[in-house]
Amino acid sequence: MTAGTDRPAGVLTVRVEDPSTFLAHTLPVEVRDAGHRLVAAGSGGWTGPVAPGLYSIVLMGPAGVRLTHLAHVGAGEETAVVLEPSPRVEPPSWPTTAPGTAGGPSAEPEEAAGRPSTSRGLAEAGRAIRPALGPRLLGTERCRVLADDATGWDFVPQRPLDAVPTARFAVGDREWEMSLPLNPAGDDPRLASCRVAVVMESSPVRLQMSFSPERRVATFLEGMRRSRDFGMADAMLPKATELLFWKYQDPPGAVLGGLTLYRLGTLVDRSHWVENLARHAAWIPDGQALLAAVLVLEQDPRRRRHGLDALLAATRHRPLYTDGLSLAMTLLRHWPGDDREEERAAAIERLADLAAYADWNAVNLTTDITPRSTP
Amino acid sequence: MTLIPGPAFGQPEPVTHAFVVGVSAYPFLDGPQASPFGAAFGMEGLTSAARSASDVAAWLLEEFRKPEAPLATLRVLLSPADGEALHPTVAAALPGPEQATRAAVEAAFEDFAQDCRTHPDNFAFVYIAGHGVQLTTSASVVLLHDFADPSHGAELKGAIDVSQCHHGLSGGGYPNTQVWFADACRQVPEVARRFETLRKALDASKPFGDVEASALILGAGPRESAFADVGGSSIFSQALLWCLRGGAATACPPPATEWYVRAGWLATALKDRIDALTGPHGVQQNVETVGRNAQVVVQRFERAPEAEVEVALKPEDAQPLPTAHLALDARVPVPLHPGWPLRERLPAGMYLLRVDAEAPLTPWTAILDVKPPAFRHVAVVGS
């Protein structure tokens, strides 16, 4: 961009700070002038001469939501804007040893591990007190509670996993079952866990899952999925998703990325990656559904059949994400041709009880399991 | 006959073709015509889906601006409830009453699709409102006027599968840019469960397409509160029109001086607006976006849309009365009406506000990022 010629230019410097090197270097930044016209766009920051005046700097933050900072750049002045989206808090008291006994693939820790946390969940700790008659944890499958405080629960997985871990809660007069995106490959609990927080601000009180703050790239995807704001950061989604799989070995995070890419119509060019994901994370049915979504486009009938096999097998288990359930239902309903129609109908019937009672606002599959009186 | 010609009817392509459906009346769900199949769902007719659709149709006729593809055709099918008032512009423009039955909707949709296909740079706009069943996060079925008609059998024949129709127009020569909205009233789980395995909804499905950008925005509101204003319009349609009238507008990249609403940001702004409308009532309405959408331009403005700006003073009775100065881009002074609170109608943009105050009051300076349709700010000059 060029600064105006009638007045001495100023210099605007925008820098993004985040414990994750990947996010700090790739989070998209936009600079808009007083007329809201885009004057510059960058990744992880931007520096350049600008005409004196007012500017808005918009960042797609690490929590997957947009943040805006307004700045006044004077003639001949240098104005620095540092976007540090999350308040820093004390690191959480995680245990030093990983849970479980079985070995797993060694995950490369995200840069955040061992550094001060910028947790949303933990940042909120102390600001709310769970009422005595508030939400209760009723039980867990394939996971255990790592911490239980005033605002929620932290979970870690049993290892190895052969199916999606779940937890059951009572909230008011309802009971809910949540699939939990725990990562058995995370050697450090901080890279394996997730949190279910009590959202006190809502009425009625509800529960919301979030990845542990150290799973920052997964947190970014989760936040973006929750806010439904994909426009600004769609270019970095493929890289973030592949990074989660290959480098951080976080299959639940990678599956969420894959589902987001599918939603945005950009998964089809990544069949090789999807096949790897489905193979290495066979315990996540959503990965099999993603594989089916890619293979349904194949010309080779044997490949399509393989996709349908994967889809039908996936429907025998509880999905991890709401979008995974959604994808499986869509593919079952609209698989081209009459292939195994009865089997597909039976699979729809199996998933229908989840779909009808799913909270479509939740990122992780959350279903109402309140005992129902039979008619 | 459901076709309302737009300003560009008969003009050279590319143009915009619009398809709008709103169903409030469901004679086979309740009332004297209710069928056993329909009555078993325990659902009642709606009060404002047809009105909402007519509001959107009126916006298309009166306010839609997209010079690269002006409105050529608008197909409208409305089934209002008894006493439900339609937007007068649309009521006057419709040649005659035609209920939004499966047969009528199917015929109109085929004509709409055929028109759309005549030029790849055409723009397709679809809005469908009524009782809905959100089958998944990316799929929504909207029930039509003759849902549960005994002649249909126990099937979903009187319904339109919006997401599959969206898929159906996603390739094969259909417009490269499209935007679809489903404004559906969500069902309780016990009812939704019954819909899961029903079939035969109107479905223009082909597997997957290759159009450049086609956004499907699904709104699924709580059962009755999605249509909160009885006799009014749905929350989704109110939020949508708020966004299209400038609430979701942003400036085009330079050197253009226009503003536009793009689908990518529209979806986010819609959710924010719906949250703002529903939040005080403690209800939640879901908004989902499917498909490649960022580049779809839905509406253009010749210049920055205007916003109602109000700047209040705190404390309200501050004395001696502070003086306000407002400057666009911190350099172009804006004449202000005297007195507090400041009330001005200003083009969207960023303004520097300076409030001069004498001790013991303190001066106040702030950057105001004014966005349409309304902007509020409080200048604090004392406790």
Side-chain angles (χ1 to χ4, degrees), chain B residues 13-15 115-123 173-176:
Chain B
E13 297 172 290
V15 293
D115 281 348
C116 283
R117 209 172 175 182
T118 53
H119 197 292
D121 292 333
N122 282 346
F123 176 61
Y174 286 109
N176 273 327

Side-chain angles (χ1 to χ4, degrees), chain A residues 238-305:
Chain A
K239 176 71 177 166
T241 299
E242 296 203 4
L243 198 68
L244 277 165
F245 182 62
W246 296 115
K247 184 177 177 188
Y248 298 145
Q249 297 195 14
D250 187 345
V255 167
L256 178 59
L259 290 166
T260 308
L261 292 175
Y262 175 78
R263 167 178 287 271
L264 299 177
T266 55
L267 183 72
V268 286
D269 303 329
R270 296 177 173 79
S271 59
H272 175 66
W273 176 82
V274 173
E275 289 191 51
N276 271 305
L277 178 67
R279 190 162 48 247
H280 289 291
W283 60 276
I284 307 177
D286 316 51
Q288 310 302 316
L290 280 171
L291 177 62
V294 169
L295 295 183
V296 71
L297 303 173
E298 294 273 357
Q299 297 298 317
D300 182 349
R302 287 170 303 176
R303 296 273 289 163
R304 279 207 307 276
R305 198 176 310 123

Side-chain angles (χ1 to χ4, degrees), chain A residues 7 32-39 52-56 66 68 70-72 203-204 206 225-231 234 262-266 268 293 296-297 322-323 325-327 329-334 336 341 344-345 348-349 352-353 355-357 359-361 372, chain B residues 134-139 161 164 167 186 188-190 192-193 195-199 203 205 207-208 250-254 256-257 259 264-265 267-268 271 282-294 327-331 348-352 367-371:
Chain A
R7 291 168 292 156
R32 291 182 176 271
D33 67 13
H36 286 162
R37 286 178 293 271
L38 182 68
V39 295
L54 304 177
Y55 293 87
S56 66
R66 291 182 197 226
T68 301
L70 306 180
H72 183 187
S203 178
R206 61 187 173 84
R225 176 67 190 88
R226 196 181 305 288
S227 66
R228 276 81 167 165
D229 187 358
F230 304 110
D234 54 355
Y262 175 78
R263 167 178 287 271
L264 299 177
T266 55
V268 286
V296 71
L297 303 173
T322 313
D323 277 347
L325 171 64
S326 180
L327 174 59
M329 292 291 274
T330 300
L331 290 170
L332 287 168
R333 284 199 182 94
H334 302 292
E341 197 163 349
R344 285 191 284 128
I348 289 173
E349 189 65 37
D353 273 334
Y357 295 92
D359 174 2
W360 294 115
N361 284 305
R372 291 176 277 274
Chain B
Q134 186 179 358
L135 296 173
T136 69
T137 53
S138 57
D161 186 329
Q164 285 305 306
H167 269 309
R186 185 190 300 157
V188 296
E190 287 72 17
R193 175 67 180 85
F195 282 99
E196 295 289 351
T197 50
L198 294 178
R199 296 186 177 196
D203 173 354
S205 180
F208 295 91
T250 189
C252 296
T257 56
W259 282 51
W265 181 239
T268 306
K271 179 161 175 30
V283 295
Q284 202 172 20
Q285 173 150 348
N286 198 14
V287 179
E288 293 287 353
T289 314
V290 184
R292 301 178 190 217
N293 59 52
L328 176 64
D329 200 14
R331 59 191 174 86
M350 295 171 64
Y351 297 79
L352 186 65
I367 299 172
L368 308 186
D369 190 7
V370 173
K371 293 175 180 173

Side-chain angles (χ1 to χ4, degrees), chain B residues 311-314 316 318 321-325 337-343 353-356 379 381:
Chain B
V311 179
L313 194 62
K314 183 181 178 184
E316 291 178 10
L321 204 58
T323 312
H325 306 273
H337 294 95
W340 292 93
L342 303 179
R343 288 200 179 93
L353 170 70
R354 195 184 81 231
V355 180
D356 295 336
V381 295

Side-chain angles (χ1 to χ4, degrees), chain B residues 34 47 69 73 106 134 186 200-202 204 210 234 240 264 281 288 290 308 340 370 376:
Chain B
T47 57
T73 68
E106 188 164 4
Q134 186 179 358
R186 185 190 300 157
K200 296 188 181 176
L202 174 56
D210 54 5
S234 71
L240 174 61
H281 305 290
E288 293 287 353
V290 184
E308 299 291 345
W340 292 93
V370 173
R376 302 277 180 273

